[in-house]
């Protein structure tokens, strides 16, 4: 008897989760076609992104070298156009910070740290990094991480709460608010999963190709990054969360063939020889920690 009621309860729970997923919805990742579970709306994600970007800008200093700002605007705008999301409020800034890091927040808010320029030879390298970050955003990876966190929270008593709220939309609404509160705290800071990183690499190559940068240079860039291993202790967020191991390189090389199909109108690639020279302000540190570095 007990066993039956347990299995009935389990069935109800599974049904409950399925229904919740229907309420909040599934989405399809552009280019890869992967189905993902999303329990935050695009609007919620955008609001989080815009808010977080304002906070980051408020407590950061913009890079002093106008050539860095100019490069990020030029390359960034091309990539924004290639991304095909005119509904995003794309914005590109270089933040004065020696870490070789970059990030993109929901809504197309891109931050590049001045320290990254030491590793960039030209526009194509910069395009590789920005397009990888923009790919995370196009694929709504932050929203997906938040959703996974929410589902984890729904285990145990949270799940009962979910089931209780199933029938009436106000209950489900309350639960959504609960999850939303959680998302605002941790969502944007959750590291991406390995699957998401691989996906961002593949979509990133396509984006850079669409913007007119040779995707083969993107694969080369990540390979060079892999060789910076000895440097890893000094390279906090970006390289440690983007380990360029053999699997990753293989994934990039597989993606290259697909990305090449989008590479139809090459654009001018400017060299950064002058920017790579040591600058007097390198070594200054203005941010306690890279806030949202991926
Ligand atoms: Zn990434």
């Amino acid at each position: 008897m007990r066993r039956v009621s347990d299995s009935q309860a389990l069935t109800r729970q599974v049904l409950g989760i399925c229904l919740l997923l229907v309420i909040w919805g599934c989405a399809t990742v552009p280019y890869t076609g992967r189905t993902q579970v999303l329990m935050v709306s695009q609007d919620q994600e955008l609001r989080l992104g815009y808010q977080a970007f304002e906070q980051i800008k408020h407590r950061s200093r913009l890079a002093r070298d106008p050539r860095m700002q100019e490069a990020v605007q030029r390359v960034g705008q091309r990539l924004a156009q290639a991304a095909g999301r005119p509904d995003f409020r794309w914005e590109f800034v270089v933040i004065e910070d020696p870490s070789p890091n970059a990030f993109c927040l929901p809504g197309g808010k891109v931050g590049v740290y001045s320290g990254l320029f030491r590793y960039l030879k030209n526009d194509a390298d910069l395009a590789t990094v920005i397009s990888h970050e923009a790919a995370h955003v196009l694929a709504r990876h932050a929203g997906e991480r938040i959703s996974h966190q929410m589902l984890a929270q729904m285990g145990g008593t949270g799940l009962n709460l979910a089931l209780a709220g199933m029938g009436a939309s106000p209950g489900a609404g309350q639960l959504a608010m609960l999850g939303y509160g959680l998302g605002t705290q941790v969502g944007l800071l959750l590291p991406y999963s390995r699957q998401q990183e691989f996906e961002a690499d593949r979509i990133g190559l396509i984006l850079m190709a669409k913007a007119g940068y040779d995707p083969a240079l993107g694969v080369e860039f990540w390979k060079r990054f892999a060789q910076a291993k000895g440097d890893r202790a000094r390279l906090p967020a970006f390289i440690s969360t983007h380990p360029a191991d053999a699997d990753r390189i293989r994934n990039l090389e597989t993606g290259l063939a697909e990305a090449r199909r989008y590479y139809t109108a090459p654009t001018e690639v400017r060299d950064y020889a002058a920017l790579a020279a040591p600058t007097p302000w390198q070594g200054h540190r203005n941010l306690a920690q890279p806030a949202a570095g991926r």
Side-chain angles (χ1 to χ4, degrees), residues 132-133 136 192 197 200 242 294:
H132 172 95
E133 297 303 320
H136 278 307
Y192 294 121
E197 290 302 343
H242 293 82
R294 273 106 199 258

Side-chain angles (χ1 to χ4, degrees), residues 148 179 199:
H148 290 169
E199 193 167 71

Side-chain angles (χ1 to χ4, degrees), residues 162-172:
L163 288 167
M166 283 313 303
S169 59

Side-chain angles (χ1 to χ4, degrees), residues 84-108:
R85 290 301 300 259
D87 53 322
F88 284 2
R89 293 185 219 150
W90 292 94
E91 189 177 347
F92 304 89
V93 296
V94 184
I95 292 166
E96 187 74 51
D97 189 291
S99 331
N101 210 346
F103 63 88
C104 184
L105 295 171

Side-chain angles (χ1 to χ4, degrees), residues 70-71 95 108 115 135 152 165 176 187 220 253 271:
E70 187 272 332
I95 292 166
E220 289 311 308
E253 280 170 344
D271 206 77

Side-chain angles (χ1 to χ4, degrees), residues 39-51:
M39 301 172 80
V40 283
S41 69
Q42 177 83 78
D43 277 356
Q44 284 172 326
E45 239 182 279
L46 293 187
R47 261 203 308 278
L48 286 178
Y50 296 152
Q51 241 172 42

